[in-house]
């Protein structure tokens, strides 16, 4: 039996956490010996059904958090309180054929390798290559590239990033994230005058400034319904009021799966204004409900739409053209139905069974 450890820094509400538990649970149900290594002892939003779930003790973890907070308040930083002690404590036992590291672990690659020299260690890239190199790991780029070169393989979500990482590591695996919303949900009737959008409310990445510009051009009688929450909700709400867009752009807040199903089923188009993504789960969710797909032309969306064959891709930042595409779809029910069928066809490639097959192939090589 192949033994696999997946490492996460927490199971808080987030895409990486949701996908990791979905894949780990799915492989465990298929007979793989799966351990989830969790560095946090905080509230968990996703169920864990693996054979083992390792995490720090409540008392020791929270005492560490208190000391880290004190260090930040009195010393101005908490650099002395990295994840390193928890990585050492959680990885000091166990023996694994494969270890899958999520991004928070990349800079600690050497520690995991030291503790498990016998394991094959793979890095799971959840975002675009350029964003990791130029933004998220800009100050730790040497550590990131070292981990990439020394690891036994890289798991990527889309082709552009796979091509770029292949320059540093030849063992690249392209595996999509799976659809995590129940596949028995409703199909949109395409009759409602709502354009669905779903994202964290983070201005830069999710292009909320672009969204405001697009909302201004939404045809009369139509509105954008935005599900999600985040740090920039206050800013966005204020901008909606200042620009007089209350009738064109509505904030729904964070939605559970049942409410999200209704969010898509009641809409007739799905819209994304993201500047960058890894592999957008919300795109697959919306397509699984039969929504025509409109987004900017970024690597992740090229992958989702197979270079625009299954949806509309607009040059990044061209909100005028995006408004025109939305106008074409709102005016033409037949066009919506055609792209609804294409969405339902494409989303088959993102089914959990298909994705788990790819992971099983990786571990059974």
């Amino acid at each position: 039996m192949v033994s696999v450890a997946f490492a996460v820094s927490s199971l808080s509400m987030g895409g990486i956490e949701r996908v990791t538990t979905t894949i780990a649970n799915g492989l465990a149900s298929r007979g793989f010996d799966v351990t989830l290594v969790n560095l946090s002892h905080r509230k968990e939003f996703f169920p864990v059904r693996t054979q083992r779930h390792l995490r720090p003790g409540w008392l020791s973890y929270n005492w560490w958090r208190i000391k880290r907070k004190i260090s930040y308040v009195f010393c101005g930083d908490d650099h002395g309180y990295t994840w390193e002690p928890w990585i050492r404590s959680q990885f000091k036992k166990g023996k694994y054929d494969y270890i899958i590291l999520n991004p928070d672990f990349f800079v600690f690659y050497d520690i995991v390798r030291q503790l498990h020299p016998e394991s094959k260690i793979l890095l799971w890239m959840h975002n675009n290559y350029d964003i990791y190199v130029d933004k998220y790991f800009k100050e730790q780029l040497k550590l990131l590239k070292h981990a990439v070169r020394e690891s036994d393989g890289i798991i990527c979500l889309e082709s552009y990033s796979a091509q770029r990482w292949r320059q540093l590591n030849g063992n690249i695996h392209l595996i999509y994230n799976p659809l995590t919303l129940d596949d028995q949900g409703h199909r949109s009737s395409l009759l409602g005058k709502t354009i669905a959008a779903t994202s964290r409310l983070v201005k830069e990445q999710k292009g909320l400034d672009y969204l405001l510009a697009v909302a201004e051009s939404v045809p009369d009688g139509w509105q954008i319904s935005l599900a999600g929450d985040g740090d920039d909700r206050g800013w966005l709400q204020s901008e909606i009021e200042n620009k007089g867009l209350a009738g064109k752009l509505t904030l729904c807040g964070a939605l559970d799966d049942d409410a999200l199903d209704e969010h898509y089923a009641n809409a007739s188009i799905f819209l994304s204004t993201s500047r960058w993504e890894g592999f957008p789960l919300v795109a697959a969710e919306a397509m699984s409900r039969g929504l025509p797909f409109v987004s900017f032309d970024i690597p992740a969306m090229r992958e989702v739409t197979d270079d625009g064959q299954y949806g509309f891709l607009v040059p990044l930042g061209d909100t005028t053209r995006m408004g025109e595409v939305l106008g074409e779809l709102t005016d033409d029910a037949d066009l919506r139905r055609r792209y609804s069928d294409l969405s339902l066809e494409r989303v088959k490639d993102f089914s959990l069974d298909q994705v788990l097959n790819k992971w099983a192939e990786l571990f059974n090589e």
Side-chain angles (χ1 to χ4, degrees):
M1 181 186 298
V2 176
S3 61
V4 186
F6 287 86
V8 291
S9 56
S10 77
L11 290 181
S12 61
M13 185 68 74
I16 290 177
E17 295 82 359
R18 181 168 190 164
V19 168
T20 300
T21 51
T22 298
I23 296 300
N25 291 340
L27 290 170
S29 71
R30 287 192 173 198
F32 288 88
D33 182 13
V34 181
T35 299
L36 188 71
V37 179
N38 182 358
L39 299 191
S40 171
H41 198 121
R42 306 178 74 174
K43 181 179 180 181
E44 297 177 350
F45 286 87
F46 305 106
V48 179
R49 302 188 184 94
T50 58
Q51 283 80 0
R52 279 165 299 283
H53 179 192
L54 306 181
R55 59 179 179 171
W58 181 88
L59 182 61
S60 57
Y61 176 75
N62 282 286
W63 177 233
W64 174 78
R65 288 184 65 205
I66 290 170
K67 290 190 293 183
R68 184 175 64 172
K69 182 68 173 180
I70 292 172
S71 175
Y72 183 80
V73 170
F74 289 99
C75 302
D77 69 66
D78 55 7
H79 294 160
Y81 293 90
T82 70
W83 291 112
E84 180 176 343
W86 301 115
I87 291 173
R88 291 190 180 278
S89 68
Q90 300 310 302
F91 274 105
K92 67 182 179 182
K93 295 181 181 179
K95 186 174 182 179
Y96 310 108
D97 296 312
Y98 290 87
I99 296 174
I100 311 300
L101 298 182
N102 278 310
D104 284 342
F105 294 78
F106 293 171
V107 297
F108 301 108
Y109 170 84
D110 284 344
I111 295 173
V112 180
R113 172 59 74 194
Q114 177 188 26
L115 294 170
H116 290 277
E118 78 290 346
S119 300
K120 290 185 177 180
I121 301 176
L122 295 94
L123 310 187
W124 195 356
M125 299 292 179
H126 288 270
N127 219 313
N128 176 274
Y129 170 91
D130 296 326
I131 297 303
Y132 278 142
V133 170
D134 298 332
K135 191 175 184 68
Y136 293 164
F137 286 90
K138 184 177 181 179
E139 304 302 322
Q140 299 172 303
L141 190 55
K142 287 185 178 180
L143 288 173
L144 172 63
K145 290 189 173 182
H146 168 74
V148 169
R149 290 190 182 98
E150 296 299 318
S151 70
D152 295 290
I154 308 296
I155 300 164
C156 294
L157 306 180
E158 40 82 11
S159 302
Y160 169 78
S161 294
Q163 179 183 3
R164 296 303 303 273
W165 288 122
R166 189 171 282 111
Q167 298 171 19
L168 298 176
N169 187 315
N171 191 23
I172 301 293
H173 304 272
L174 178 60
I175 305 178
Y176 296 148
N177 279 345
L179 178 66
T180 56
L181 200 62
D182 186 352
D183 60 7
Q184 300 303 311
H186 303 93
R187 176 176 179 175
S188 168
S189 68
L190 305 177
L191 298 176
K193 292 190 174 183
T194 298
I195 300 166
T198 307
S199 79
R200 285 183 297 111
L201 301 189
V202 180
K203 178 181 177 181
E204 184 183 12
Q205 180 185 357
K206 302 302 181 179
L208 300 183
D209 49 341
Y210 291 147
L211 183 64
L212 289 164
V214 172
E216 292 179 346
S217 66
V218 169
D220 290 340
W222 284 76
Q223 68 166 344
I224 299 171
S225 178
L226 174 59
D229 209 343
D231 293 342
D232 291 327
R233 181 188 178 102
W235 170 84
L236 181 58
Q237 187 66 66
S238 177
E239 288 295 298
I240 290 171
E241 294 169 1
N242 292 339
K243 295 177 181 293
L245 294 173
K248 294 292 183 74
L249 177 55
T250 302
L251 305 186
C252 304
L255 303 180
D256 62 21
D257 283 0
D258 289 339
L260 203 56
D261 184 33
E262 291 296 321
H263 173 66
Y264 296 132
N266 292 332
S268 296
I269 302 167
F270 178 77
L271 171 68
S272 170
T273 56
S274 291
R275 285 179 166 87
W276 71 84
E277 293 284 351
F279 187 92
L281 288 175
V282 296
E285 291 170 351
M287 295 171 84
S288 75
R289 273 41 180 172
L291 293 185
F293 183 87
V294 182
S295 78
F296 287 130
D297 185 5
I298 59 176
M301 300 310 191
R302 275 179 231 137
E303 200 74 47
V304 168
T305 64
D306 196 9
D307 288 327
Q309 295 186 65
Y310 293 90
F312 291 89
L313 298 179
V314 176
L316 179 59
D318 191 344
T319 55
T320 299
R321 178 56 188 153
M322 183 167 275
E324 292 171 351
V325 170
L326 290 174
E328 293 169 12
L329 285 166
T330 57
D331 286 344
D332 191 338
D334 288 337
L335 185 64
R336 294 200 299 273
R337 282 191 286 271
R338 179 152 63 90
Y339 275 88
S340 173
D341 291 339
L342 288 172
S343 287
L344 291 170
E345 180 63 28
R346 177 56 169 162
V347 83
K348 294 176 183 177
D349 293 329
F350 312 140
S351 72
L352 180 57
D353 277 345
Q354 289 267 50
V355 173
L356 288 176
N357 287 344
K358 291 290 186 180
W359 281 95
E361 290 172 10
L362 186 160
F363 296 139
N364 289 321
E365 286 183 344

